Amino acid sequence: MTIKIALLGAGTVGSQVARLLKEESELLSARAGAPLELVGISVSNIDAERDPWIDRDLLTTDSTALIEKADIVIELIGGVDLPRKLVLHALRSGKSVVTGNKALLAEHGPEIYDLAKEKNVDVYYEAAVAGAVPVVYAVRESLAGDTVRAIQGILNGTTNYILDEMTTKGLAFEDVLKVAQDLGYAEADPTADVDGHDAAAKIAILASLAFHKRVHIDDVHVEGIRSITAEDIAAATTGGYVIKLIATATQDDTGKIDVRVNPTLVPEAHPLASIGGSFNAVVIEAEAADRLMFYGRGAGGAPTASAVLSDVVAAAAKRVVGGRAPQEIVLGESEFVSADDSCSKYFIRMKVKDHVGVLAELTRYFADAGVSISSVHQEEIAADGDVSLTVTTHSARAADVAATIDSINQAQTAEVVRVLRVGDE
Ligand code: HSE
């Protein structure tokens, strides 16, 4: 029995999957329990330049015909509409599917999981979240005996790389983005990275697995890093924080879920503060296990291919010995914390004219909205008496913080420059 594999897409990750399938053929086949054979690679342009290990005889533009020839279909095309069509076609035809497509799963996961269940076939997606870091397996299988309370992660390598370079080298956002693209971390359209949508799709997938509730990408509150400036980073550093794009998923005691992606001030002592470069890290708080941390390469061709191939081996082994992969488990309707009720500590940076009573006036707006101040830091920024004032709050409702900012703006007491969430210790 030979397990036939169709590869849809030969981009940064697809090409590395083809290389490893070739170079590690013997080892992967031994682990799967049967020889693995790559029967074709579908691409949009047959004549495009390819890596030297890509066998041109395997290239085709006919994805549908290729799917028919395979037992396992690896989808690494990117985008949503075409992959959705092809993945549904593969499942309808009884093929196992391995995908690294987080956007597809965060938008159309239920349709895909339902069809897979109906057709008695499996969908694997370790590569969709945090590249090489085996966090899908961890949440779905390793923690199946525990209750996950919260997940907090750096799930986008491009933005972590950008923020890290801005922090450590004082570089400008645009210059670092270009390097991240050249290094192959960024999506073809880096908007998905810098505006937080890539991380949002990943945290939606993890939240669904952890809480056994369906979480769509539109349920995630998303804020990207485009507006973060050198001044924000300097102010955060002064306060003992590092700015990171943090994706979080929490479930409170009433079962309400809060899933979000925000540039966040992470206390320097927190394990996520030290994650540099394009690395990803995920911290999981589980009831019995307590705190777990996963760390590794979340982007790039070979690291992501590692996760794809682990799924290929698992899917192939199931084909050989029978049985099913773990299924989607939905244990109830999803209820979400409203945007207004979402609570966090906040860091508010303002520009203020330094005169008698200004601090008293400002702090009154916080008190009036029921927002408790935790610290205040003032620094002179110009000879004419302009000062930079940063206020950090205790945990407060988003709506109460917004009301405070509205009052400050209306009274023109200060110019509010930036409002950022602050993570816990
Ligand atoms: N572009 C993503 C990142 C990798 O920078 O982390 C794939 O999701």
Side-chain angles (χ1 to χ4, degrees), residues 362-379:
L362 273 173
T363 52
R364 189 162 50 77
Y365 295 125
F366 284 83
D368 288 350
V371 177
S372 174
I373 291 173
S374 142
S375 74
V376 177
H377 177 83
Q378 179 176 316
E379 218 166 279

Side-chain angles (χ1 to χ4, degrees), residues 2 19 35 40 46 60 72 97 142 175 199 222 224 250 286 290 302 345 349 352 394:
T2 295
R19 178 178 70 78
I46 288 243
T60 172
I72 298 173
V97 169
S142 309
D175 296 338
V222 190
T250 52
D290 203 353
K345 297 180 207 167
R349 189 160 73 80
V352 190
H394 291 292

Side-chain angles (χ1 to χ4, degrees), residues 223-381:
E223 192 190 346
I225 65 159
R226 236 179 248 279
S227 62
I228 301 297
T229 62
E231 288 75 37
D232 295 326
I233 288 175
T237 307
T238 304
Y241 298 102
V242 184
I243 299 183
K244 297 283 186 193
L245 185 66
I246 299 291
T248 58
T250 52
Q251 180 166 238
D252 66 21
D253 292 338
T254 69
K256 281 194 181 166
I257 299 171
D258 193 4
V259 192
R260 51 181 54 255
V261 175
N262 298 100
T264 303
L265 272 76
V266 179
E268 267 164 10
H270 190 279
L272 291 178
S274 60
I275 307 303
S278 66
F279 280 88
N280 281 195
V282 185
V283 173
I284 300 175
E285 310 279 350
E287 211 160 273
D290 203 353
R291 182 179 273 188
L292 298 160
M293 183 161 172
F294 301 82
Y295 167 81
R297 290 206 178 273
T304 310
S306 162
V308 170
L309 288 165
S310 90
D311 281 346
V312 169
V313 168
K318 286 274 186 290
R319 292 247 157 198
V320 176
V321 298
R324 301 286 314 280
Q327 304 294 298
E328 186 202 26
I329 298 163
V330 181
L331 297 178
E333 290 291 312
S334 310
E335 263 195 88
F336 294 94
V337 174
S338 72
D340 281 353
D341 286 337
S342 175
C343 287
S344 171
K345 297 180 207 167
Y346 281 88
F347 174 92
I348 300 152
R349 189 160 73 80
M350 294 169 266
K351 225 166 98 184
V352 190
K353 282 268 177 250
D354 191 1
H355 59 77
V356 174
V358 71
L359 204 55
E361 192 183 332
L362 273 173
T363 52
R364 189 162 50 77
Y365 295 125
F366 284 83
D368 288 350
V371 177
S372 174
I373 291 173
S374 142
S375 74
V376 177
H377 177 83
Q378 179 176 316
E379 218 166 279
E380 198 162 323
I381 50 174

Side-chain angles (χ1 to χ4, degrees), residues 102 155-159 185-187 193 198 202 280 298-299:
K102 54 250 132 193
L155 294 177
N156 182 267
T158 303
T159 45
Y185 303 149
E187 299 293 296
D193 296 300
D198 176 79
K202 293 167 180 169
N280 281 195

Side-chain angles (χ1 to χ4, degrees), residues 101-107 128-130 151 153-157 159 187 191-208 214-224 245-249 257-263 280 336:
N101 194 327
K102 54 250 132 193
L104 173 67
L105 297 176
E107 281 181 44
V129 184
I151 300 177
I154 293 173
L155 294 177
N156 182 267
T159 45
E187 299 293 296
T191 307
D193 296 300
V194 296
D195 292 337
H197 304 297
D198 176 79
K202 293 167 180 169
I203 195 70
I205 293 170
L206 289 183
S208 305
R214 285 184 165 169
V215 179
H216 188 275
I217 190 163
D218 293 345
D219 297 321
V220 185
H221 301 276
V222 190
E223 192 190 346
L245 185 66
I246 299 291
T248 58
I257 299 171
D258 193 4
V259 192
R260 51 181 54 255
V261 175
N262 298 100
N280 281 195
F336 294 94

